[in-house]
Amino acid sequence: MTDGEAFLLVFVLIYLSDCLVWLTPSGYGLIRFWKRGYFVRRARVSFEALGKGFAVINPLPPFGTVFIGEAWPISLSGEGIAPFSRENPNPGPLLGGIRGAGFVAWNEVEKVVSQDGYLLVNGKRFARCASRAGAVVMAARLRKIRQLESFEDREAAIERWLRERFSENHVRRRVALFRRIVSPMRLSVSLLFGIVFLLVPYAYWRYHDELRFYLVLLASWVLMLQIAIEYFRLHRRFYPRLSGERWQHLILAIVFPHYAIRSIDALSKGFLADSHPLAMARAIALPEEKARLESAVRRDARQPIPLSKEHEKSATVAEEFRLRFFLPALETGGESNPEVDGDEAETHGVAICPRCRVSYDSIGIPCEDCGGLLTIEA
């Protein structure tokens, strides 16, 4: 293997390692591979030390797009904020999440900000969001609710927020807008992909260190510079508060071609951060993907995992949020209300878990996958 072939192999491996989307336990990735609808993915491989895992996205820039959504990482009421939700309890403090986070009343909230994907309340980490854009959106909305004076006004604002997060029309409009805005950039990225993986290796094989090879390299760098500038302009428009992320990607995209090629993914990941994953799936996912996610979300919302008695006030607020706000918003949207998928509904034992619908041989056996929920008659 020549030096050029070895370098190309290493670059291909580096590029493929960049074709991943990192997701928190509450995160969902809606990934499109070809011209069909989107697939719903959670982290396939997780790293406990990082608190994240990854899913594979489309390596071909002309076709793929990825959007990140997240289940509710917090619970809200007219009284205050709890650092987890019944929809998604695993990242919360009761089950190994952020230590020291607990219920905070609205009159005790002095400052709400976002930092590196975390939601900070009064200067302390309160919850982890699936993306930096998601943390920015959530912090801004919480600041608006905090400014309201009455209990009733806060509850009305929470209801409006839930309705907006479950709006399918909002998702469709945003996706159409994103496609239209980045279409010129997608052409540039696709051209750079072809130059880097086809033209540059051919020029090296054909001309080696002659001037024509370096002219091809110069052309690819000019295209990288153009893409980086376009990325910077669009990122400033989409995410005005994420200046650090913007400058970091700009510098890397000017130096490394694989960062320039994946610039559209860097723009798209947080573009639907203000929408719930189920609304995203209802609007743009494949029918079978939408049905599968809807079944899982409704199951978890109606039969949530039992929580520990620790942090009793937070658990009370989380349950109130589920019953008072989340379930009504969930039942309002969608074309169908599937309880479970067809395969899951088939039972072969005398008992089933009321949450995951797995068959058991006896009634009253605790289901370990559902936090000890007791089985019922099938």
Side-chain angles (χ1 to χ4, degrees):
M1 180 179 291
T2 65
D3 293 342
E5 292 172 342
F7 178 80
L8 178 62
L9 177 61
V10 171
F11 180 75
V12 168
L13 294 176
I14 293 174
Y15 175 77
L16 291 177
S17 70
D18 206 39
C19 296
L20 305 172
V21 57
W22 289 87
L23 299 170
T24 62
S26 62
Y28 292 78
L30 270 78
I31 302 168
R32 189 174 71 167
F33 287 93
W34 307 107
K35 292 296 184 182
R36 301 175 63 209
Y38 288 75
F39 293 85
V40 181
R41 294 288 183 265
R42 303 193 76 174
R44 294 296 182 91
V45 179
S46 298
F47 300 92
E48 186 175 352
L50 298 176
K52 287 185 178 182
F54 65 81
V56 179
I57 60 179
N58 196 331
L60 302 177
F63 305 107
T65 306
V66 55
F67 297 103
I68 294 179
E70 69 175 327
W72 278 92
I74 60 174
S75 295
L76 306 171
S77 73
E79 298 180 60
I81 320 170
F84 61 93
S85 74
R86 300 305 309 276
E87 178 196 10
N88 187 45
N90 292 328
L94 303 188
L95 297 174
I98 298 174
R99 296 184 180 276
F103 171 79
V104 179
W106 288 112
N107 56 9
E108 298 175 353
V109 176
E110 299 175 357
K111 186 178 181 181
V112 182
V113 297
S114 62
Q115 185 182 73
D116 298 329
Y118 285 94
L119 189 68
L120 275 63
V121 176
N122 297 337
K124 297 180 179 180
R125 286 184 175 180
F126 190 77
R128 186 175 193 174
C129 298
S131 65
R132 293 183 179 181
V136 169
V137 169
M138 189 155 289
R141 203 60 180 258
L142 291 177
R143 287 194 293 268
K144 290 182 179 179
I145 297 176
R146 179 177 63 90
Q147 293 171 357
L148 300 175
E149 297 294 335
S150 68
F151 180 92
E152 292 76 14
D153 289 343
R154 287 171 180 156
E155 291 212 328
I158 295 169
E159 286 182 353
R160 288 195 300 271
W161 191 5
L162 266 292
R163 287 198 300 269
E164 292 172 11
R165 282 184 66 93
F166 277 101
S167 172
E168 300 170 46
N169 291 331
H170 174 72
V171 174
R172 293 189 184 98
R173 289 194 300 267
R174 295 278 289 176
V175 171
L177 173 66
F178 183 84
R179 289 174 180 170
R180 185 172 67 252
I181 290 177
V182 304
S183 56
M185 185 178 179
R186 192 177 294 278
L187 292 176
S188 300
V189 166
S190 301
L191 179 59
L192 179 62
F193 181 83
I195 291 175
V196 168
F197 287 100
L198 298 176
L199 187 57
V200 169
Y202 173 78
Y204 178 79
W205 171 78
R206 181 71 173 81
Y207 303 112
H208 292 284
D209 57 351
E210 294 181 20
L211 178 61
R212 281 174 284 191
F213 169 69
Y214 292 106
L215 289 177
V216 172
L217 290 182
L218 178 62
S220 64
W221 183 81
V222 171
L223 192 56
M224 288 167 53
L225 180 62
Q226 175 194 336
I227 293 171
I229 294 173
E230 182 69 8
Y231 162 85
F232 186 89
R233 185 182 68 84
L234 292 177
H235 192 280
R236 185 171 56 187
R237 176 180 174 182
F238 296 160
Y239 316 106
R241 298 183 181 180
L242 296 177
S243 59
E245 180 179 86
R246 180 162 56 249
W247 281 102
Q248 177 183 350
H249 187 88
L250 172 70
I251 295 171
L252 292 173
I254 292 175
V255 178
F256 302 107
H258 60 285
Y259 278 94
I261 293 173
R262 306 311 303 185
S263 291
I264 292 180
D265 290 337
L267 288 171
S268 67
K269 289 176 183 177
F271 197 70
L272 297 179
D274 55 348
S275 296
H276 191 277
L278 183 55
M280 297 162 61
R282 287 169 175 170
I284 62 176
L286 293 167
E288 58 271 21
E289 294 288 313
K290 178 183 71 172
R292 182 171 58 84
L293 179 60
E294 183 141 8
S295 174
V297 172
R298 290 182 182 277
R299 177 200 67 195
D300 293 348
R302 294 169 179 169
Q303 297 284 350
I305 296 176
L307 294 173
S308 166
K309 297 299 182 181
E310 189 181 1
H311 299 286
E312 189 170 340
K313 183 60 178 178
S314 294
T316 301
V317 170
E319 182 65 9
E320 179 184 347
F321 177 75
R322 181 180 76 91
L323 297 174
R324 171 75 173 80
F325 301 105
F326 185 80
L327 273 177
L330 176 65
E331 301 296 347
T332 300
E335 301 176 355
S336 60
N337 298 342
E339 291 288 345
V340 293
D341 292 333
D343 293 339
E344 293 178 329
E346 296 181 4
T347 58
H348 303 284
V350 298
I352 59 170
C353 172
R355 180 177 178 272
C356 67
R357 316 298 290 184
V358 171
S359 299
Y360 284 84
D361 294 331
S362 302
I363 299 173
I365 296 176
C367 178
E368 295 182 0
D369 293 334
C370 296
L373 204 63
L374 298 181
T375 58
I376 60 175
E377 184 178 356

Coordinates of all heavy atoms in Angstrom, one line a residue, residues 11-12 15-16 18-19 57-64 185-198 220 223-225 227-228 231 249 252-267:
F11 N -8.3 8.6 6.1 CA -9.2 9.7 6.0 C -10.7 9.2 5.9 O -11.6 9.7 6.5 CB -8.9 10.6 4.8 CG -9.9 11.7 4.6 CD1 -9.8 12.8 5.4 CD2 -10.9 11.7 3.7 CE1 -10.7 13.9 5.3 CE2 -11.8 12.7 3.5 CZ -11.7 13.8 4.3
V12 N -10.8 8.1 5.2 CA -12.2 7.5 5.1 C -12.6 7.0 6.4 O -13.8 7.2 6.8 CB -12.1 6.3 4.1 CG1 -13.4 5.5 4.2 CG2 -12.0 6.8 2.6
Y15 N -13.6 10.0 8.4 CA -14.9 10.6 8.0 C -16.1 9.7 8.5 O -17.1 10.2 8.9 CB -14.9 10.6 6.4 CG -16.2 11.0 5.9 CD1 -16.6 12.4 5.9 CD2 -17.1 10.1 5.3 CE1 -17.8 12.8 5.4 CE2 -18.3 10.5 4.8 CZ -18.7 11.8 4.8 OH -19.9 12.2 4.3
L16 N -15.9 8.4 8.4 CA -17.0 7.5 8.8 C -17.3 7.6 10.3 O -18.4 7.5 10.8 CB -16.7 6.0 8.5 CG -16.7 5.7 7.0 CD1 -16.3 4.3 6.8 CD2 -18.1 5.9 6.4
D18 N -17.1 10.3 11.9 CA -17.9 11.5 12.0 C -19.3 11.4 11.6 O -20.1 12.3 11.8 CB -17.2 12.7 11.2 CG -17.4 14.0 11.8 OD1 -17.5 14.1 13.0 OD2 -17.6 15.0 11.0
C19 N -19.7 10.3 11.0 CA -21.1 10.0 10.6 C -21.9 9.4 11.7 O -22.5 8.3 11.5 CB -21.1 9.2 9.3 SG -20.3 9.9 7.9
I57 N -25.7 7.8 11.1 CA -26.4 8.6 10.2 C -25.9 8.4 8.8 O -24.9 7.7 8.6 CB -26.4 10.1 10.6 CG1 -24.9 10.6 10.5 CG2 -27.0 10.4 11.9 CD1 -24.8 12.1 10.9
N58 N -26.6 8.9 7.8 CA -26.2 8.7 6.4 C -24.9 9.3 6.1 O -24.7 10.5 6.3 CB -27.3 9.3 5.5 CG -27.3 8.8 4.1 OD1 -26.2 8.4 3.6 ND2 -28.4 8.8 3.4
P59 N -23.9 8.6 5.5 CA -22.6 9.1 5.2 C -22.6 9.9 3.9 O -21.6 10.6 3.6 CB -21.7 7.9 5.1 CG -22.6 6.8 4.7 CD -24.0 7.1 5.3
L60 N -23.7 9.9 3.1 CA -23.7 10.5 1.8 C -24.5 11.9 1.9 O -25.7 11.9 2.1 CB -24.4 9.6 0.8 CG -23.8 8.3 0.6 CD1 -24.6 7.4 -0.4 CD2 -22.3 8.4 0.1
P61 N -23.8 13.0 1.8 CA -24.4 14.3 2.1 C -25.5 14.7 1.1 O -26.4 15.5 1.5 CB -23.2 15.3 2.0 CG -22.2 14.5 1.2 CD -22.3 13.1 1.5
P62 N -25.6 14.1 -0.2 CA -26.7 14.5 -1.0 C -28.1 14.1 -0.5 O -29.1 14.6 -0.9 CB -26.4 13.9 -2.4 CG -24.9 13.6 -2.3 CD -24.6 13.3 -0.9
F63 N -28.1 13.0 0.4 CA -29.3 12.4 0.7 C -29.7 12.6 2.2 O -30.9 12.7 2.5 CB -29.3 10.9 0.4 CG -28.9 10.6 -1.0 CD1 -27.7 10.1 -1.3 CD2 -29.8 10.8 -2.1 CE1 -27.3 9.8 -2.6 CE2 -29.5 10.6 -3.4 CZ -28.2 10.1 -3.7
G64 N -28.8 12.5 3.1 CA -29.1 12.4 4.5 C -29.3 13.7 5.2 O -28.8 14.7 4.8
M185 N -26.4 25.1 -0.3 CA -25.2 24.6 0.5 C -25.1 23.1 0.3 O -24.0 22.5 0.2 CB -25.4 24.9 2.0 CG -24.3 24.5 2.8 SD -24.6 25.0 4.6 CE -23.1 24.4 5.3
R186 N -26.2 22.4 0.1 CA -26.1 20.9 -0.1 C -25.4 20.6 -1.4 O -24.7 19.6 -1.6 CB -27.5 20.3 -0.1 CG -27.5 18.8 -0.1 CD -28.9 18.2 0.0 NE -29.6 18.6 1.3 CZ -29.4 18.0 2.4 NH1 -28.6 16.9 2.5 NH2 -30.1 18.3 3.5
L187 N -25.7 21.5 -2.5 CA -24.9 21.3 -3.7 C -23.4 21.4 -3.5 O -22.7 20.6 -4.1 CB -25.5 22.3 -4.8 CG -26.9 22.1 -5.2 CD1 -27.3 23.2 -6.2 CD2 -27.1 20.7 -5.9
S188 N -23.0 22.4 -2.8 CA -21.6 22.7 -2.5 C -21.0 21.5 -1.7 O -19.9 21.0 -2.0 CB -21.4 24.0 -1.8 OG -21.9 25.1 -2.5
V189 N -21.7 21.0 -0.7 CA -21.2 19.9 0.1 C -21.1 18.6 -0.7 O -20.1 17.9 -0.6 CB -22.2 19.7 1.3 CG1 -21.9 18.4 2.0 CG2 -22.0 20.8 2.3
S190 N -22.1 18.4 -1.6 CA -22.0 17.2 -2.4 C -20.8 17.3 -3.4 O -20.2 16.3 -3.7 CB -23.3 17.0 -3.2 OG -24.4 16.9 -2.3
L191 N -20.6 18.5 -4.0 CA -19.5 18.7 -4.9 C -18.2 18.4 -4.1 O -17.2 17.8 -4.6 CB -19.5 20.1 -5.4 CG -18.4 20.5 -6.4 CD1 -18.4 19.5 -7.6 CD2 -18.5 21.9 -6.9
L192 N -18.0 19.0 -2.9 CA -16.8 18.8 -2.1 C -16.6 17.3 -1.8 O -15.5 16.8 -1.8 CB -16.9 19.6 -0.8 CG -15.7 19.4 0.1 CD1 -14.4 19.9 -0.5 CD2 -16.0 20.2 1.5
F193 N -17.7 16.6 -1.5 CA -17.6 15.1 -1.2 C -17.0 14.4 -2.4 O -16.2 13.6 -2.3 CB -19.0 14.6 -0.9 CG -19.1 13.2 -0.6 CD1 -18.8 12.7 0.7 CD2 -19.4 12.2 -1.6 CE1 -18.8 11.3 1.0 CE2 -19.5 10.9 -1.3 CZ -19.2 10.4 0.0
G194 N -17.5 14.8 -3.6 CA -17.0 14.1 -4.9 C -15.5 14.5 -5.1 O -14.7 13.6 -5.5
I195 N -15.2 15.7 -4.9 CA -13.8 16.2 -5.1 C -12.8 15.4 -4.1 O -11.8 14.9 -4.5 CB -13.7 17.7 -4.9 CG1 -14.4 18.4 -6.1 CG2 -12.2 18.1 -4.9 CD1 -14.4 19.9 -5.9
V196 N -13.2 15.4 -2.8 CA -12.3 14.8 -1.8 C -12.1 13.3 -2.0 O -11.0 12.8 -1.9 CB -12.9 15.2 -0.4 CG1 -12.1 14.3 0.6 CG2 -12.7 16.6 -0.1
F197 N -13.2 12.6 -2.3 CA -13.1 11.2 -2.4 C -12.9 10.6 -3.8 O -12.6 9.4 -3.9 CB -14.4 10.5 -1.8 CG -14.5 10.7 -0.3 CD1 -15.3 11.6 0.3 CD2 -13.8 9.8 0.5 CE1 -15.4 11.8 1.7 CE2 -13.9 9.9 1.9 CZ -14.7 10.9 2.5
L198 N -13.0 11.4 -4.8 CA -12.8 10.9 -6.2 C -11.7 11.7 -6.9 O -10.8 11.1 -7.4 CB -14.1 11.0 -7.0 CG -15.3 10.1 -6.4 CD1 -16.6 10.4 -7.2 CD2 -14.9 8.7 -6.4
S220 N -10.4 22.4 -3.8 CA -11.1 21.8 -2.7 C -11.1 22.7 -1.5 O -12.1 22.9 -0.8 CB -10.6 20.4 -2.4 OG -9.3 20.5 -1.9
L223 N -13.5 25.6 -1.9 CA -14.9 25.1 -1.7 C -15.2 24.9 -0.2 O -16.3 25.2 0.3 CB -15.1 23.8 -2.4 CG -16.6 23.4 -2.6 CD1 -17.5 24.4 -3.2 CD2 -16.6 22.1 -3.4
M224 N -14.2 24.4 0.6 CA -14.3 24.3 2.0 C -14.5 25.6 2.7 O -15.4 25.8 3.6 CB -13.1 23.6 2.6 CG -12.9 22.1 2.3 SD -11.3 21.5 2.7 CE -11.1 22.0 4.4
L225 N -13.8 26.6 2.2 CA -13.9 28.0 2.8 C -15.3 28.5 2.5 O -16.0 29.1 3.4 CB -12.9 28.9 2.2 CG -12.9 30.3 2.7 CD1 -12.6 30.4 4.2 CD2 -11.8 31.1 1.9
I227 N -18.1 26.8 2.0 CA -19.1 26.1 2.9 C -19.0 26.6 4.3 O -20.0 26.7 5.0 CB -18.8 24.6 2.8 CG1 -19.1 24.1 1.4 CG2 -19.6 23.8 3.8 CD1 -18.7 22.6 1.1
A228 N -17.8 26.8 4.8 CA -17.6 27.2 6.2 C -18.3 28.6 6.4 O -18.9 28.8 7.4 CB -16.1 27.2 6.6
Y231 N -22.0 28.1 6.3 CA -22.4 27.5 7.6 C -22.5 28.6 8.7 O -23.5 28.7 9.5 CB -21.4 26.4 8.0 CG -21.5 26.1 9.5 CD1 -22.5 25.1 9.9 CD2 -20.7 26.7 10.4 CE1 -22.6 24.8 11.3 CE2 -20.8 26.4 11.8 CZ -21.7 25.4 12.2 OH -21.8 25.2 13.5
H249 N -16.9 25.2 14.8 CA -17.1 24.5 13.6 C -16.5 25.3 12.4 O -16.0 24.6 11.5 CB -18.6 24.2 13.4 CG -18.9 23.3 12.2 ND1 -18.9 22.0 12.3 CD2 -19.1 23.6 10.9 CE1 -19.2 21.4 11.1 NE2 -19.3 22.4 10.3
L252 N -12.8 24.5 12.3 CA -12.5 23.1 11.9 C -12.9 22.8 10.4 O -12.2 22.1 9.7 CB -13.3 22.2 12.8 CG -12.9 22.1 14.3 CD1 -13.8 21.3 15.1 CD2 -11.4 21.6 14.4
A253 N -14.0 23.5 10.0 CA -14.4 23.2 8.6 C -13.4 23.9 7.6 O -13.3 23.4 6.4 CB -15.8 23.8 8.4
I254 N -12.7 24.9 8.0 CA -11.7 25.5 7.1 C -10.5 24.6 7.0 O -9.8 24.5 6.0 CB -11.3 26.9 7.6 CG1 -12.5 27.9 7.4 CG2 -10.1 27.5 6.9 CD1 -12.3 29.2 8.0
V255 N -10.2 23.9 8.1 CA -9.0 23.1 8.1 C -9.2 21.6 7.7 O -8.4 21.1 6.9 CB -8.4 23.1 9.5 CG1 -7.1 22.2 9.6 CG2 -8.1 24.5 10.0
F256 N -10.3 21.0 8.1 CA -10.5 19.6 7.9 C -11.8 19.4 6.9 O -12.9 19.9 7.3 CB -10.8 18.9 9.2 CG -9.7 19.0 10.2 CD1 -9.8 19.8 11.3 CD2 -8.5 18.3 9.9 CE1 -8.7 19.9 12.2 CE2 -7.4 18.4 10.8 CZ -7.6 19.2 12.0
P257 N -11.6 18.8 5.8 CA -12.7 18.6 4.8 C -13.9 17.9 5.4 O -15.0 18.1 5.0 CB -12.0 17.9 3.6 CG -10.8 17.3 4.2 CD -10.3 18.1 5.3
H258 N -13.7 16.9 6.3 CA -14.8 16.1 6.7 C -15.8 17.0 7.6 O -17.0 16.7 7.6 CB -14.4 14.8 7.5 CG -13.6 15.1 8.7 ND1 -12.2 15.4 8.6 CD2 -13.9 15.0 10.0 CE1 -11.8 15.6 9.8 NE2 -12.7 15.3 10.7
Y259 N -15.2 18.0 8.3 CA -16.1 18.9 9.0 C -16.9 19.7 8.1 O -18.1 20.0 8.3 CB -15.3 19.8 9.9 CG -14.9 19.1 11.2 CD1 -13.7 18.4 11.4 CD2 -15.8 19.1 12.3 CE1 -13.4 17.8 12.6 CE2 -15.5 18.5 13.5 CZ -14.3 17.9 13.7 OH -14.0 17.3 14.8
A260 N -16.3 20.2 7.0 CA -17.1 20.9 6.0 C -18.2 20.1 5.3 O -19.3 20.6 5.1 CB -16.1 21.5 4.9
I261 N -17.9 18.8 5.0 CA -18.8 18.0 4.4 C -20.1 17.7 5.3 O -21.2 17.7 4.8 CB -18.2 16.6 4.0 CG1 -17.1 16.9 2.9 CG2 -19.2 15.6 3.5 CD1 -16.3 15.6 2.6
R262 N -19.8 17.7 6.6 CA -20.9 17.4 7.5 C -21.6 18.7 8.1 O -22.3 18.6 9.1 CB -20.4 16.5 8.7 CG -19.7 15.2 8.4 CD -20.4 14.4 7.4 NE -21.8 14.0 7.8 CZ -22.6 13.2 7.1 NH1 -22.2 12.7 6.0 NH2 -23.8 12.9 7.5
S263 N -21.3 19.8 7.4 CA -21.9 21.1 8.0 C -23.4 21.1 8.0 O -23.9 21.7 8.9 CB -21.3 22.2 7.1 OG -19.9 22.4 7.3
I264 N -24.1 20.5 7.1 CA -25.5 20.5 7.1 C -26.1 19.8 8.3 O -27.0 20.2 8.9 CB -26.1 19.9 5.8 CG1 -25.7 20.9 4.6 CG2 -27.6 19.7 5.9 CD1 -26.2 20.4 3.3
D265 N -25.4 18.7 8.7 CA -25.8 18.0 9.9 C -25.6 18.8 11.1 O -26.4 18.8 12.0 CB -25.1 16.6 10.0 CG -25.5 15.6 9.0 OD1 -26.6 15.7 8.4 OD2 -24.6 14.7 8.6
A266 N -24.5 19.6 11.1 CA -24.3 20.4 12.3 C -25.4 21.5 12.4 O -25.7 22.0 13.5 CB -22.9 21.1 12.1
L267 N -25.9 21.9 11.3 CA -27.0 22.9 11.3 C -28.4 22.3 11.6 O -29.2 22.9 12.3 CB -27.1 23.6 9.9 CG -26.0 24.6 9.5 CD1 -26.2 25.0 8.1 CD2 -26.1 25.8 10.4

